[in-house]
Amino acid sequence: MNRFGDFPYGPFLNAFNTLIGRMFLVVLATLLGSMLGTMTALRAWQGLWEGLFQVGMLSVGSLFYGIGFFAFPAILLFALGFVLWEWRLLYVLIPTVLMWANIHRTVRWTEFDSPLAQKMKALQSEISKSVQDSEQPAASP
């Protein structure tokens, strides 16, 4: 039953309080957490789109490089409790924070902190230095 003060949000709240609505809300929260995790790890707004489109690959990678081994069972247990016991809708921020921490650590490790990423940065700096040296004209005597 809608209350009079819930006019603009009442239908949405009723929809989110159904079984399908609660499952959709958990999925939406994990996608949002993935998007925020890549954005904060890359320190760019373009990370939002990368987090959305690469959520599958990042999730699999987080099992090996991040805390996905612990975060995904925690999100699954939360989803079961959220749907079965009808917890408050605000609690859906928990999977968002878990997914943010998971994806943030994964992206930071794979792109910046791992030994392979450090070697790739060193290789790219050497290549750019050699290109700049080859572009400069030789000094004529």
Side-chain angles (χ1 to χ4, degrees):
M1 174 181 231
N2 289 342
R3 291 181 298 218
F4 181 73
D6 288 342
F7 171 64
Y9 306 113
F12 292 110
L13 291 176
N14 287 339
F16 284 141
N17 279 319
T18 63
L19 176 73
I20 302 296
R22 286 181 172 270
M23 288 190 297
F24 175 74
L25 201 56
V26 171
V27 169
L28 191 66
T30 55
L31 285 175
L32 179 66
S34 173
M35 292 169 64
L36 290 174
T38 53
M39 183 189 76
T40 57
L42 296 176
R43 296 181 182 143
W45 289 102
Q46 291 82 11
L48 287 173
W49 296 113
E50 289 186 31
L52 179 64
F53 295 127
Q54 296 181 3
V55 69
M57 186 171 50
L58 288 173
S59 297
V60 171
S62 72
L63 293 173
F64 301 109
Y65 301 118
I67 59 169
F69 191 71
F70 302 108
F72 287 123
I75 291 172
L76 180 65
L77 289 175
F78 171 82
L80 287 173
F82 185 70
V83 170
L84 293 177
W85 294 304
E86 296 181 359
W87 293 339
R88 294 177 51 119
L89 293 178
L90 187 62
Y91 293 164
V92 82
L93 293 176
I94 293 171
T96 303
V97 171
L98 281 172
M99 196 66 169
W100 168 78
N102 180 22
I103 298 298
H104 180 84
R105 286 186 180 190
T106 302
V107 172
R108 287 298 298 175
W109 174 257
T110 56
E111 294 292 325
F112 302 107
D113 299 336
S114 70
L116 179 63
Q118 298 293 330
K119 287 182 182 180
M120 288 298 291
K121 284 182 186 177
L123 181 64
Q124 287 176 350
S125 66
E126 284 182 26
I127 290 173
S128 65
K129 182 182 174 193
S130 66
V131 166
Q132 287 177 355
D133 290 342
S134 67
E135 287 178 355
Q136 291 181 358
S140 53

